[in-house]
Amino acid sequence: MVGLPARGKSYIAHRLARYLNWIGTKSKVFNVGQYRRELVGVNMSYDYYDPFNTTGAQSRRMVASHVLDTIIEWFKEDPDNAVAILDATNTTRDRRDLILERCPPEGIQVMFIESVLDDTFIEERNIREHKLRCPDYQGCDPDDAFNDFSKRIENYKKAYETLCLNLDRELSFIRVSNITQFHINNLLGTVQSKSAYFLMNIRPHTKTTLYLSRHGESQFNELAKIGGDTNLTDNGVRYAKKLGKFLQENNLTDIPVWTSIMKRTIETCSHLPNQNVQRYKCLNEIDAGRCDGLTYKEIEEKYPEEFALRDLDKYNYRYPQGESYQDVCCRLEPIIMDLEKQDQVLLICHQAVLRCIVGYFLNLSTDEIPYIKIPLHTVIKITPVAYGCEKEEISFGVESSVTHRDKQTQESIERRLLALDISHGDSSFVSHEDMNGHSGNNNIISDHVIKT
């Protein structure tokens, strides 16, 4: 990252890391401020950041070098580690040159993302909402802390050298001005292009509150069958009516409702007071292919190998003639981009779809996403906080079936695979993916990329 303090760099860094992790590119944010507090201490006054303070400048360069060492080691620890986001000011060419000297020799591509903000109102809000809560100002008077941080910014301005084409034509960079204007230069590869796509779709100062709900209990839920396109049970209808009452009592009757095109979600929406209901096919439940309409027990009996392979890697496993969780995430990407721009939305859809959406907003791994609990007859409220989100569950006390299946132990999976004479590297699993024209690792980026 590049930019003066309080320009939304940390916010952008965490949002970008969340998105890249969600699409299968393992990413991590390295905040230089946290390392500085560990190495040098807290309560550093604004003088520490004066570019003419030789001692402070040497200390800050030492911290920057230490963080780069940590990043390089992180890449070496695991070949799946793909993107490191260096969350720091990097406001001088000297500091950016340090990054360019250290990273390319290690096989790490470098792209800079600069955040420029001229709006003094947003700057002050950023300082008061985020910066004054950091450990540097614990126990300080808010006004004194605000004045100190403002002077810190003035010190950075003394040496600030923005990215520009005249001097930085050979670099890969994205310059974001006042949230809405983008200058993109010399991007290389898929990750950098996807990063630009994401940044052009988010609104950093929009705080989206989401209300998520599955449809009311369906006839297939009651029979413990997966998939299908059945109507609601009596309990499902009762839930839909209670959901409508909840919306009225909380003044949420004007928010848009997004739903799938399946009977059980449409019927649930028919009991709501909201008029703005939009249907999207990409919100349909995961396609179970040949397993659609079967219970888990029937799948285990009829397709024992498929049943075992799904437990082995539930996120990447694709139902025969159907979909995987990875496929669902891919078709949900346009919805995620739209959700980033909304103030409030109610989504009424399905278990696997909501797992993918909740996984995105809570920054959960691909191992965790397929096992997120999304119970029937429950509203999940997602609220943005600082650089992440909080989840709250609201239950209405309407009886329903339990459709969650816990993650199986590695021992039980190994035992079943052994009984079926399947190993982890069994070619039948690869053939199953190839047969459908996909690869379970098509979103994995092999090159190390560092976003600074």
Side-chain angles (χ1 to χ4, degrees):
M1 300 299 302
V2 174
L4 295 170
R7 265 54 184 176
K9 298 186 304 301
S10 293
Y11 183 84
I12 291 171
H14 285 273
R15 294 281 283 272
L16 179 58
R18 183 175 76 182
Y19 166 71
L20 292 173
N21 280 319
W22 188 72
I23 64 172
T25 304
K26 194 171 179 181
S27 308
K28 183 178 178 179
V29 176
F30 293 81
N31 181 270
V32 171
Q34 292 180 352
Y35 286 93
R36 186 260 304 161
R37 284 186 281 273
E38 293 173 5
L39 296 170
V40 182
V42 297
N43 302 322
M44 308 301 293
S45 76
Y46 67 91
D47 291 330
Y48 177 78
Y49 302 93
D50 189 330
F52 301 109
N53 178 345
T54 305
T55 303
Q58 290 175 344
S59 173
R60 286 184 284 119
R61 187 177 179 86
M62 177 273 294
V63 174
S65 296
H66 173 79
V67 177
L68 286 173
D69 289 340
T70 303
I71 286 172
I72 291 168
E73 286 304 310
W74 180 76
F75 279 128
K76 293 177 179 178
E77 286 171 4
D78 185 344
D80 287 338
N81 291 343
V83 178
I85 303 180
L86 179 57
D87 183 11
T89 54
N90 299 313
T91 46
T92 64
R93 286 198 167 78
D94 177 69
R95 183 55 52 82
R96 297 196 287 270
D97 285 344
L98 175 63
I99 296 166
L100 293 169
E101 289 168 7
R102 296 290 310 279
C103 293
E106 299 288 345
I108 302 169
Q109 291 180 335
V110 177
M111 180 178 79
F112 296 102
I113 299 174
E114 181 175 17
S115 180
V116 179
L117 184 65
D118 300 325
D119 190 319
T120 55
F121 172 78
I122 296 177
E123 177 185 333
E124 180 173 342
R125 187 180 69 181
N126 286 346
I127 294 173
R128 293 194 181 278
E129 287 187 359
H130 302 297
K131 301 305 179 183
L132 300 192
R133 297 178 181 179
C134 78
D136 288 339
Y137 296 110
Q138 280 189 358
C140 293
D141 176 80
D143 290 333
D144 291 343
F146 179 83
N147 290 332
D148 182 88
F149 197 87
S150 297
K151 291 177 181 177
R152 182 191 299 191
I153 294 174
E154 292 304 314
N155 277 333
Y156 273 106
K157 285 182 179 179
K158 294 176 184 177
Y160 186 17
E161 297 171 294
T162 187
L163 291 162
C164 67
L165 275 179
N166 289 340
L167 298 174
D168 303 307
R169 186 176 297 275
E170 301 302 317
L171 300 182
S172 299
F173 68 82
I174 302 170
R175 192 170 188 266
V176 185
S177 300
N178 297 315
I179 309 167
T180 56
Q181 297 177 344
F182 298 84
H183 192 137
I184 297 173
N185 185 68
N186 196 30
L187 299 193
L188 304 171
T190 303
V191 170
Q192 294 186 10
S193 297
K194 294 290 278 185
S195 298
Y197 163 72
F198 175 76
L199 293 174
M200 295 176 72
N201 275 281
I202 66 169
R203 296 293 178 266
H205 302 292
T206 298
K207 294 187 176 182
T208 306
T209 299
L210 298 181
Y211 296 89
L212 311 174
S213 174
R214 291 173 67 182
H215 50 80
E217 182 187 60
S218 72
Q219 293 166 349
F220 264 23
N221 292 148
E222 194 174 40
L223 297 171
K225 294 184 176 183
I226 66 172
D229 192 16
T230 57
N231 295 110
L232 302 184
T233 63
D234 290 342
N235 279 337
V237 172
R238 276 192 284 274
Y239 169 72
K241 291 178 178 178
K242 286 208 170 190
L243 177 58
K245 185 178 179 182
F246 167 82
L247 296 173
Q248 289 177 325
E249 291 174 347
N250 289 274
N251 298 316
L252 296 172
T253 56
D254 292 331
I255 70 170
V257 178
W258 297 1
T259 187
S260 74
I261 63 171
M262 308 196 84
K263 290 178 183 177
R264 52 194 184 271
T265 57
I266 294 171
E267 189 177 348
T268 302
C269 290
S270 70
H271 296 280
L272 307 183
N274 304 58
Q275 298 299 311
N276 184 6
V277 179
Q278 302 171 40
R279 300 175 187 173
Y280 297 95
K281 187 176 181 180
C282 61
L283 289 176
N284 282 4
E285 180 59 299
I286 188 171
D287 185 350
R290 291 203 304 261
C291 297
D292 190 84
L294 300 177
T295 65
Y296 283 124
K297 185 176 181 180
E298 289 170 338
I299 297 171
E300 186 175 18
E301 292 172 350
K302 193 171 183 179
Y303 306 112
E305 289 191 8
E306 299 294 339
F307 193 77
L309 289 171
R310 188 165 192 259
D311 280 343
L312 180 63
D313 185 1
K314 192 174 179 181
Y315 181 81
N316 289 303
Y317 169 85
R318 182 175 292 109
Y319 281 111
Q321 300 175 6
E323 289 183 301
S324 67
Y325 271 88
Q326 186 188 50
D327 295 331
V328 175
C329 285
C330 287
R331 66 168 154 95
L332 284 176
E333 194 166 339
I335 287 286
I336 291 292
M337 294 299 104
D338 281 344
L339 287 174
E340 287 281 3
K341 304 170 189 174
Q342 306 300 316
D343 292 321
Q344 289 184 314
V345 185
L346 167 62
L347 267 70
I348 296 180
C349 40
H350 309 271
Q351 180 169 246
V353 171
L354 290 178
R355 280 173 171 163
C356 294
I357 292 171
V358 169
Y360 169 77
F361 282 98
L362 297 187
N363 194 23
L364 300 179
S365 70
T366 54
D367 288 335
E368 296 172 294
I369 286 174
Y371 298 100
I372 300 171
K373 290 186 177 180
I374 310 286
L376 285 164
H377 300 175
T378 302
V379 171
I380 296 173
K381 183 179 179 181
I382 303 291
T383 307
V385 291
Y387 306 130
C389 291
E390 287 183 345
K391 185 181 87 164
E392 175 189 357
E393 291 189 3
I394 305 165
S395 179
F396 301 148
V398 180
E399 187 180 347
S400 67
S401 306
V402 177
T403 60
H404 181 83
R405 183 170 177 269
D406 289 329
K407 186 174 184 177
Q408 304 301 294
T409 64
Q410 191 65 28
E411 183 182 354
S412 68
I413 295 171
E414 297 278 3
R415 190 164 52 247
R416 279 186 288 138
L417 291 173
L418 186 63
L420 294 165
D421 196 25
I422 303 174
S423 67
H424 282 226
D426 194 279
S427 60
S428 63
F429 185 48
V430 177
S431 299
H432 172 67
E433 297 291 340
D434 292 346
M435 177 182 66
N436 289 277
H438 297 276
S439 167
N441 293 320
N442 60 359
N443 282 322
I444 300 299
I445 308 300
S446 58
D447 294 333
H448 295 326
V449 182
I450 177 171
K451 307 281 190 234
T452 60

